[in-house]
Amino acid sequence: MSEIAGQTGLRAGATAVVHESYSFACMQCGHGWEQSYEIEHHTDARGQEFVLYVADGQVVPSPLSRPTCPNCDNHVVRIMRPGRVASARDAAHRHDRVPPAGPARAPKPQAEADAEAGKPAEPQEHHHWHLSDLLHPFQRKAS
């Protein structure tokens, strides 16, 4: 996510610049976006270090403090590593994707299907289950 730039291209007073990118997803409206930042490290007159986040040439608040969705202005935003939004968009636009599933229909039991077809129902044998019946598939045979 980070890459430290050399001394070229620093703003006045910056001692170093780190480039970071993030992916964002709004939990309210579902909007996704990506943004790259230049994080400038500075030292004030008292010797205290501080950083400035710069996006598209503008000083902006830290994206990690309280990100805002540009679509709905909500602050419930998930922050992810870079490339997550782009990979999700690529997956959504693939031509070979599986179509969305419809309502699932469970198959009818044989007795119910026979009854609908007009066949007489065969008497079902009631089976009483024991724990050993359930564990049987997991038991190994001695060799």
Side-chain angles (χ1 to χ4, degrees):
M1 267 197 263
S2 302
E3 143 186 338
I4 298 178
Q7 291 294 322
T8 58
L10 297 177
R11 293 178 188 254
T15 58
V17 176
V18 178
H19 297 277
E20 290 193 4
S21 297
Y22 299 99
S23 292
F24 301 91
C26 179
M27 299 290 104
Q28 178 72 29
C29 70
H31 179 67
W33 71 100
E34 297 187 10
Q35 182 67 55
S36 294
Y37 298 89
E38 292 177 350
I39 304 169
E40 299 179 350
H41 294 260
H42 295 269
T43 306
D44 66 13
R46 289 184 265 155
Q48 300 287 347
E49 294 183 9
F50 67 97
V51 295
L52 293 175
Y53 285 81
V54 180
D56 301 324
Q58 300 284 331
V59 176
V60 296
S62 167
L64 306 177
S65 59
R66 192 169 184 214
T68 303
C69 174
N71 190 49
C72 70
D73 292 328
N74 193 340
H75 296 290
V76 182
V77 175
R78 181 172 182 195
I79 303 170
M80 303 167 285
R81 70 176 189 257
R84 300 296 291 178
V85 173
S87 65
R89 282 189 189 133
D90 291 345
H93 295 305
R94 280 192 207 130
H95 297 291
D96 59 339
R97 72 175 193 213
V98 176
R105 292 193 179 114
K108 294 181 180 179
Q110 187 61 42
E112 192 176 319
D114 288 346
E116 286 181 2
K119 295 182 182 176
E122 296 180 15
Q124 294 278 329
E125 180 183 321
H126 179 72
H127 182 78
H128 182 75
W129 290 96
H130 296 279
L131 181 59
S132 61
D133 294 333
L134 299 173
L135 295 176
H136 181 72
F138 301 106
Q139 294 173 346
R140 284 200 228 154
K141 302 229 180 208
S143 44

